[in-house]
Amino acid sequence: MHIVFFGDQHLDSLGGAQVSMRLQREFLERAGHTVTVVAPRMHGPRAAAPSERPAGNIDLPSVPITTDREYSMSWPGRATDRFLDRAMTHRPPVDIVHVQADFWGAYIGHRYAARHGIPVVHTMHNRVDVGIAAVTPLHKPVLAVLNTWRRAALRGIGAPVRGADGWAFLRGLAVGASAVTAPSTHFARRLEEHGVFTPVDVIWNGIDDEVRDATLAAAPAEREPGRPRFVWLGRMSPEKRLLPFLEAFVASGVDADLEIIGGGAQRAAAEKIVADHAHVRFSGRLTYPQTLARIAAADALVQTSIGFETQGMTPFEAATLGTPSVICDPDIAAELGGGLWAVAESSAAPGSREQEAQRIAALAHTLRDAVADIAAGTAPTPVPAVVEGFRQSSRTAAMVEVYERVLAAAH
């Protein structure tokens, strides 16, 4: 098959969806399929030179949308449609369009599929309502604007979808799809409950089989004694809750090492919170193998976002490497099924200062519990079913079954 991925961001940029799409492409190509990736062209110092760009990438004209120029946007319209159609004349005939985007990439992908009569599989990566609410108090008018934009960009594709909230937005994206997948059971059930699509196929994002095996082979048979080691990784933005985590770490008073991996706009604020703590290290952006090695070497991974993650890849990666996690989100804790310390939920009103204070206090308490268990040798063990089921080879096989089902129905 020839599968065309559509993403909101270039696969060389930071982000869990980009990591997942890179792995999907690699394992699909290993299985003999052809994959083309359509996404906005990157800008800034990390952008590849034209001669270095993979032949399977189509980098759309774009403009940078963040101050660090890491992320960019392509406008969904006729000019982009023409650019894409010309570029695709140099690629084989397309069997499946796989949209893995939530905004402009989704519009561009659905428009392309509709023009050419190609079936669409849409992977929902984003709780749009929660993510926007985390970064702006004006999330309701922003969602209203997004829905208006969605209706204009996808006019004539599927039945019209009214509404101005996040679920209406996702319903409007799904109407052009023959199948919808989600990376977790809890997100799939929410999509079904809100009428986005039924049924939604649950296909976890995975971990590279070979890199995982090499990481475990290089890791010592036993963890060295000493100060417990925590690792936190991700984008340093409000919805990831790095700053409340660091406040909890300071408040906990634990004698532990902490490594922070990743980058983002909140780094300076994060460094300020722990400026007096010698055992906190900011490692910046690491490669995928380096990141997995750090997770494998840690005594525990800390995952702090709540209600935002549609899967939360990092605790699954940790489980696959034998590392337990401290989890703030009850949905992610339930998906993992064990091998973790769950942070108690707050009883205060949602969005209140009291709620956040309770959450920070509960996380501090859980960190103290984790340090005590690690020191006593009684840390929880990840669930074997998660360890095996998270391999990318099994995830790719599951997705190919979805592709084949959609193609069979189309013919």
Side-chain angles (χ1 to χ4, degrees), residues 65-137:
I65 56 173
T66 55
T67 55
D68 61 2
R69 301 172 70 83
E70 179 76 15
Y71 303 110
S72 52
M73 169 188 168
S74 295
W75 187 259
R78 292 179 181 176
T80 297
D81 292 345
R82 288 193 295 268
F83 180 95
L84 175 58
D85 286 348
R86 286 195 300 270
M88 288 300 295
T89 61
H90 303 290
R91 303 292 291 160
V94 178
D95 297 291
I96 289 280
V97 165
H98 189 168
V99 174
Q100 304 200 52
D102 303 286
F103 302 106
W104 44 89
Y107 305 157
I108 294 165
H110 280 284
R111 289 166 66 101
Y112 176 80
R115 285 197 307 280
H116 299 281
I118 302 167
V120 176
V121 174
H122 193 131
T123 295
M124 299 282 181
H125 281 288
N126 195 340
R127 274 290 302 269
V128 173
D129 53 345
V130 176
I132 293 176
V135 297
T136 175

Side-chain angles (χ1 to χ4, degrees), residues 157-208:
I157 299 175
V161 174
R162 302 298 174 188
D165 64 5
W167 298 111
F169 183 80
L170 295 180
R171 283 195 294 273
L173 296 183
V175 292
S178 298
V180 169
T181 77
S184 67
T185 302
H186 67 264
F187 189 43
R189 298 297 83 84
R190 282 193 172 89
L191 291 169
E192 292 171 349
E193 289 165 2
H194 287 86
V196 173
F197 197 90
T198 301
V200 176
D201 291 280
V202 179
I203 301 179
W204 289 347
N205 296 317
I207 189 172
D208 188 303

